[in-house]
Amino acid sequence: MDVSVPENVMVTKLDSLASWCRKNSLWPMPFATACCGIELMATGASKHDVARFGAEVFRFSPRQCDLMIVAGRVVMKMLPVLQRIWLQMPEPKWCISMGACASTGGVFDTYSVVQGIDRFIPVDMYVPGCPPRPEQLIQAIIDLQAKIQREGTLMGKEFLTEARQQPKRALLDIVSPQGSPRPEPLPIVPNVGV
Amino acid sequence: MDATALKQALQQKFGELAWQYSESPRGQRRLVIPADQLHKYLEFLRHDCGFDALLDITCVDYLHYRGAKDRFGLVYLMGTSTSGERLVVRCFLNEPNLKIASVVPLWEGANWLEREVFDMFGIQFEGHPDLRRVLLPEEFAGFPLRKDYPLRGRGERHNFERITRNQS
C-alpha cells in the first residue's frame, strides 16, 4: 500500500527531534574563575561568535542554563559552590571542563586546588589547553552537540548512571587492547523517574 | 625623620640594648626587635616617629633555612604619610610560644593582615578583636604556609562528596 506524504513532511524519532532541539539551543552557565574565562568571553564575543552554534545565551542564573562551562582552576573553597550551582541547573544538562586546570588541576598541584572537577561532578567534554583558543571551545561545543544528537533521549535515559558507567570505547582500548576479549556492557535499564 | 634622627630617638627612648638597626645598600631600613618588647617599640614608632601607615604584616618560616636560629620571622612594613619614608620592623618567634601582641589598637588596618598571618602560619595575636581565618575555610586544619606543611596538603582538596549523574 502506498502512503504519500507532502514534500515538507519529515519522519523521525521523537528522541532525535528532542535532541536536535536541545543541541541547537545550549544555554551556557559561565563558571569562569581564571584566564580561561577570558577566552570564554572571547568565544562569546563578536569575533568568534558562538551564536553561530546556538550557544550564545550566557545566563548567570543556573536555573536558566543547561550547559555548565567550568573555565579555570577550582579551589577547594569554591568546589561546594560549584556543586551547588550544578545541582541548581535543570535537566537535561551538560558540563564542559575547559582548560588544563579545570580538567586536571594543571600546574596548581597544591593543597588548595581541586585536581580535576570530574572527581566531584560529571563532565561531558574536556578541552585541553592553557588556556584553550576559542576555536577549541567551539569545537568542544560542536562535539557536545554531536554527542547530544547521538545519545540524547526525550526522557533523559542517557543520564542514568548504570548506562553511563559503561566503559568508554577509547578507554577500553587502553585497558584491554585490540583483540583481547572485551567485558560485556552493562544492561541498560528501562527508563525510570521521568 | 631620617635615619640618624630615628636612631637617636630610639636611643633616647630605649637605650642601646635590644634593638638592632641596619640599612641595605639601597637604603632599605630595618629594625630587629626582641619579640617580648615589640609592642612598645611599635607604639613609639607609631605615635612619636610618624609611622602612621602600616603597609603590611607578613611572616617567614625559617625551618630548614641555612644558618637560621629562629623559626618564624614576623615582618611589619610601615611608612609615613607625610614624607613617604619606609621602615621594616622584624621580630623572631619560636615554638611553642607563637604569641605576639596585636597591633590593631595602633593601626586599625592591621586587623585583616594579622588574620591572614594567623591563617597561614598560626601566629596568635593577643588582643586581636576577631582572630578568625580570613582566606581558608573555617573548618580547615593546619597552617599551609609553614614549611612542614605538605605542598599537596593532607587530602583537603579531595575531601568532598562526589555528585553523580543519578543525583543531579
Side-chain angles (χ1 to χ4, degrees), chain A residues 3-190:
Chain A
V3 180
S4 65
V5 290
E7 266 184 12
N8 56 355
V9 171
M10 216 171 73
V11 180
T12 182
K13 288 192 290 183
L14 201 52
D15 283 351
S16 179
L17 179 68
S19 300
W20 178 74
C21 294
R22 283 171 187 162
K23 76 168 186 179
N24 287 309
S25 89
L26 292 169
W27 286 32
M29 161 83 221
F31 197 95
T33 54
C35 43
C36 284
I38 307 296
E39 298 295 308
L40 180 61
M41 287 179 239
T43 312
S46 55
K47 185 168 178 181
H48 296 282
D49 193 10
V50 79
R52 295 176 293 154
F53 307 95
E56 80 278 23
V57 195
F58 286 86
R59 286 295 139 125
F60 298 95
S61 165
R63 298 182 199 284
Q64 299 175 346
C65 300
D66 53 8
L67 168 63
M68 178 183 253
I69 302 180
V70 182
R73 66 265 184 286
V74 177
V75 295
M76 58 165 200
K77 204 174 172 183
M78 184 66 105
L79 192 81
V81 180
L82 177 74
Q83 289 185 325
R84 194 187 172 102
I85 288 175
W86 173 254
L87 290 174
Q88 284 173 343
M89 284 167 60
E91 290 273 9
K93 58 190 170 187
W94 299 273
C95 178
I96 291 180
S97 169
M98 180 183 177
C101 300
S103 306
T104 67
V107 296
F108 302 104
D109 190 7
T110 68
Y111 67 97
S112 58
V113 179
V114 172
Q115 302 295 296
I117 57 161
D118 56 351
R119 290 166 183 260
F120 304 110
I121 65 167
V123 172
D124 294 283
M125 284 288 154
Y126 300 86
V127 190
C130 186
R133 294 273 315 160
E135 292 89 333
Q136 284 173 272
L137 183 62
I138 288 172
Q139 185 62 52
I141 290 170
I142 293 170
D143 288 348
L144 183 66
Q145 287 177 339
K147 179 181 174 175
I148 294 167
Q149 184 68 71
R150 197 171 59 241
E151 40 182 80
T153 54
L154 184 66
M155 297 304 189
K157 265 185 274 187
E158 76 273 23
F159 292 133
L160 290 175
T161 307
E162 285 87 349
R164 289 188 66 84
Q165 276 174 347
Q166 286 185 26
K168 296 276 157 59
R169 195 175 301 146
L171 206 65
L172 271 176
D173 285 337
I174 299 167
V175 178
S176 54
Q178 293 284 331
S180 59
R182 287 190 168 166
E184 284 293 308
L186 295 168
I188 296 174
V189 291

